[in-house]
Amino acid sequence: MKLLIADRDETERLGIRWLVASSSLPFSSVLLASTLEETLSIIESERPHVLILELDMMNENSFSDIKWRLADYVKKVVATTTEATFARAMEGIELQVEKLLMKPLSPMQLQSILKKSLVDIESQRSKESSVEKLDDHHFLYHALFVKDSPALNENLSLFLVQPEYSRVLKPLHHSLQSYPFQYPVTVLPLSDRIICLYPSSDRNLVIDEARRFLRDWHDSSEGSIGISLPATALNENSIYHQYQDVKKGVELFFYKGFRHVMALEEPVNWRYLDPFLSPSEQAEWENMLKKKDQRGMKDWMYGSFLHITPPYPDPGLLKTRLTSILAQVRRYMKTHHLDEDDLLEERYQGVFESILHHRLLYKIVQDMLLFMSLVVEEVEEKEIDHYDVVEGCLSYMKTHFANPSLSLVEVAQSVNRNPSYISTLIKDRKERSYREILLRIRMKEAKVLLESSKEPIQQIAEHVGFSQANHFSRKFKEATGVSPSTYRNQKLRS
């Protein structure tokens, strides 16, 4: 089955796609559209079974266009909106949507509605078809997802084959269909994994057959896979209950890695994990990033995520916690304006996608640490560059301070930078403004001339960049507390 997610907000689209993937809903493809024009085009060309449509992207002129296309090409429509208005409710009724949801969306509610839509579609298909044979895949899919499906006439053992990467799904499907199992196996592909129904209740036989396929696959194919069986202690033996249990079992590959058969004794029960960083943990991350403590970050990540022991936390909660850490790195990037670097921004998006979609915790942690190292190195390089730029400005000011018209623009041009940028950089690095630093340079040179020469005050003023002696005397007294002549006399007496 096909699902189309039509929403102007990229975060919403990707979030719903991740929810669908993590819920193992049986969509063969998930399509995305960000505009109404894209939506209409995909509806006509792909004819999705289910559409999640943001009503706010429509206008009065486009309403009739989408209305007849939904009626002709789409079986179920779930509408979303940010406007709780009567007009939006009437649009939903006129489009005959399954449900009108207010944003922000509830993941559990959306998941429940999508499951119900799939059940309704399959039920309608069942009514339209008189075929009820065991090899009828529609009937078997129905048995997977509908709790009260009719019982099958023979014992079937279910096992789930999970590839690490979705790109191997097609060759994996072909291999399972053609593999010489001892008994013929029914293969049911889903959007990111494959269900196999083995015609035997002999658990040891099923485990041996799964291990044989796993071994032969890795000997001849690329891409790691793992195989999970329902727990031995599972009370119900229906296809539905076996699948519900094995869905949790396959999540353990996230912690343990692939390339083995997961045959548990007891059903998986997740322990609770606070998905967000505590205030003290946030402060700890801020401190590590500020100090550029890469060793500390690595030890924190390894200790928190790579030494977890059973019972494991829900992978969804753990991924949320990982995004909380990435948010700390994101704030650090913005502090140093690294979010303006297109290449680094692309790497950040890649790490975010890794957290959402990668099936191995170890790989996510490595991706995050590699990215953190890159961010810290960029900050260090930027700080070195800032140091060189500021020192270049100071050197130019010390050489040209005698010029009464010396300006920030001229100083900035000497290091090929923008004046506004130089002004901010000098203030950040030296905690004084450009004018304050220039005045200090001039006053320092004036003191030397007053102590070592007998030149008139007027000439000294000109030597240090003042065109008027009165202006010089006033600034000198503000800086030292005494007039230039008094300063000279004090130094001569001492």
Side-chain angles (χ1 to χ4, degrees):
M1 290 193 192
K2 298 178 182 178
L3 170 67
L4 170 58
I5 303 168
D7 197 296
R8 293 170 299 174
D9 190 319
E10 182 181 13
T11 303
E12 289 281 354
R13 295 195 302 272
L14 296 178
I16 296 172
R17 185 176 69 179
W18 175 78
L19 175 67
V20 170
S22 63
S23 303
S24 302
L25 294 167
F27 291 107
S28 58
S29 62
V30 178
L31 310 168
L32 303 178
S34 60
T35 64
L36 187 61
E37 291 73 18
E38 259 188 295
T39 303
L40 295 174
S41 175
I42 293 174
I43 287 174
E44 287 187 347
S45 61
E46 298 292 338
R47 304 196 176 191
H49 298 82
V50 181
L51 166 65
I52 300 175
L53 173 66
E54 181 193 27
L55 294 180
D56 305 326
M57 68 164 53
M58 297 190 307
N59 54 49
E60 293 180 2
N61 298 329
S62 62
F63 188 81
S64 59
D65 286 342
I66 198 165
K67 182 180 177 181
W68 72 260
R69 285 178 173 86
L70 295 184
D72 287 352
Y73 299 138
V74 182
K75 294 187 179 297
K76 294 288 180 180
V77 180
V78 179
T80 67
T81 181
T82 57
E83 302 176 2
T85 63
F86 178 77
R88 285 287 180 255
M90 290 304 297
E91 286 176 353
I93 292 172
E94 194 167 350
L95 294 177
Q96 297 183 350
V97 302
E98 187 77 3
K99 196 78 174 179
L100 176 59
L101 302 178
M102 285 297 301
K103 292 184 177 182
L105 302 178
S106 163
M108 292 184 65
Q109 185 183 22
L110 180 58
Q111 186 183 58
S112 174
I113 291 168
L114 290 176
K115 284 183 177 179
K116 182 180 182 302
S117 298
L118 290 169
V119 170
D120 290 346
I121 292 172
E122 287 295 345
S123 297
Q124 184 62 31
R125 285 180 171 181
S126 298
K127 292 176 183 177
E128 294 170 354
S129 175
S130 60
V131 180
E132 296 183 356
K133 298 178 182 178
L134 180 62
D135 62 351
D136 184 342
H137 284 196
H138 295 309
F139 177 76
L140 292 174
Y141 277 120
H142 193 268
L144 279 177
F145 295 101
V146 181
K147 186 175 182 179
D148 299 322
S149 294
L152 302 177
N153 294 327
E154 63 178 282
N155 290 323
L156 292 172
S157 294
L158 179 149
F159 63 89
L160 188 156
V161 185
Q162 177 69 67
E164 182 178 353
Y165 298 102
S166 297
R167 64 174 179 266
V168 305
L169 202 62
K170 188 173 181 179
L172 179 61
H173 180 209
H174 177 74
S175 294
L176 284 165
Q177 285 183 312
S178 60
Y179 191 75
F181 289 105
Q182 186 170 334
Y183 298 105
V185 171
T186 302
V187 181
L188 305 175
L190 302 179
S191 61
D192 65 341
R193 57 189 58 170
I194 298 175
I195 298 294
C196 294
L197 300 177
Y198 198 94
S200 172
S201 58
D202 186 340
R203 182 176 176 85
N204 291 330
L205 173 61
V206 178
I207 291 173
D208 288 343
E209 289 282 77
R211 284 174 176 163
R212 183 164 65 90
F213 174 80
L214 184 78
R215 182 178 61 252
D216 291 347
W217 167 267
H218 285 126
D219 285 345
S220 59
S221 306
E222 293 184 359
S224 296
I225 66 170
I227 299 178
S228 179
L229 279 75
T232 308
L234 189 64
N235 294 327
E236 296 281 352
N237 199 42
S238 68
I239 295 300
Y240 171 84
H241 286 96
Q242 288 189 60
Y243 179 56
Q244 295 305 310
D245 183 71
V246 83
K247 277 197 305 182
K248 276 192 172 183
V250 79
E251 296 286 356
L252 293 177
F253 292 127
F254 182 67
Y255 298 101
K256 297 186 174 184
F258 288 83
R259 293 180 174 262
H260 61 272
V261 174
M262 192 86 67
L264 302 176
E265 295 296 321
E266 297 288 338
V268 175
N269 288 307
W270 305 121
R271 67 174 170 85
Y272 177 73
L273 172 74
D274 188 343
F276 302 106
L277 296 179
S278 66
S280 62
E281 288 172 327
Q282 291 181 32
E284 188 176 359
W285 270 100
E286 289 173 5
N287 187 51
M288 286 190 293
L289 288 164
K290 185 177 181 180
K291 292 182 176 180
K292 307 175 189 65
D293 182 7
Q294 294 193 53
R295 180 66 187 182
M297 288 184 257
K298 181 178 179 180
D299 290 345
W300 204 101
M301 293 291 287
Y302 275 33
S304 298
F305 298 111
L306 298 188
H307 297 295
I308 301 175
T309 56
Y312 295 102
D314 185 324
L317 293 178
L318 189 139
K319 287 190 172 191
T320 301
R321 190 165 176 79
L322 287 165
T323 59
S324 296
I325 294 171
L326 189 61
Q328 294 291 321
V329 180
R330 179 68 167 172
R331 280 192 282 274
Y332 179 71
M333 289 173 62
K334 289 190 172 184
T335 299
H336 295 276
H337 306 289
L338 295 183
D339 56 316
E340 300 168 7
D341 184 323
D342 291 340
L343 183 59
L344 205 59
E345 185 69 8
E346 184 179 341
R347 294 287 293 270
Y348 164 78
Q349 294 295 338
V351 174
F352 186 72
E353 287 290 317
S354 176
I355 294 174
L356 289 181
H357 303 299
H358 208 283
R359 295 193 172 96
L360 272 180
L361 176 57
Y362 177 80
K363 180 64 168 58
I364 294 174
V365 169
Q366 293 303 316
D367 286 348
M368 290 183 68
L369 287 172
L370 186 62
F371 178 68
M372 291 173 194
S373 176
L374 182 62
V375 169
V376 166
E377 288 171 3
E378 285 291 322
V379 171
E380 289 176 339
E381 287 184 13
K382 204 168 185 179
E383 288 179 343
I384 292 172
D385 179 58
H386 286 174
Y387 175 81
D388 291 342
V389 167
V390 170
E391 292 303 313
C393 290
L394 294 179
S395 176
Y396 189 86
M397 291 163 70
K398 290 173 182 177
T399 304
H400 298 83
F401 69 86
N403 178 8
S405 61
L406 181 64
S407 67
L408 177 62
V409 173
E410 181 181 336
V411 172
Q413 288 176 345
S414 74
V415 291
N416 297 315
R417 295 294 191 277
N418 180 278
S420 177
Y421 169 76
I422 289 299
S423 177
T424 302
L425 194 59
I426 288 176
K427 184 73 173 177
D428 287 344
R429 294 288 159 182
K430 297 300 181 180
E431 298 182 347
R432 289 185 177 85
S433 69
Y434 159 77
R435 290 186 177 279
E436 290 172 333
I437 292 174
L438 179 58
L439 182 61
R440 286 169 65 90
I441 293 172
R442 285 171 168 170
M443 292 299 103
K444 183 178 180 181
E445 182 63 20
K447 289 177 183 179
V448 173
L449 293 174
L450 287 168
E451 293 175 24
S452 61
S453 75
K454 295 181 180 181
E455 289 185 0
I457 302 300
Q458 175 66 43
Q459 289 185 2
I460 290 177
E462 292 174 358
H463 286 325
V464 297
F466 288 87
S467 56
Q468 295 181 0
N470 289 341
H471 185 209
F472 165 69
S473 296
R474 186 169 63 254
K475 289 294 183 183
F476 190 89
K477 188 170 184 179
E478 288 175 1
T480 64
V482 295
S483 67
S485 56
T486 302
Y487 180 86
R488 170 180 274 173
N489 292 334
Q490 288 176 346
K491 291 298 179 181
L492 288 174
R493 285 198 299 268
S494 63

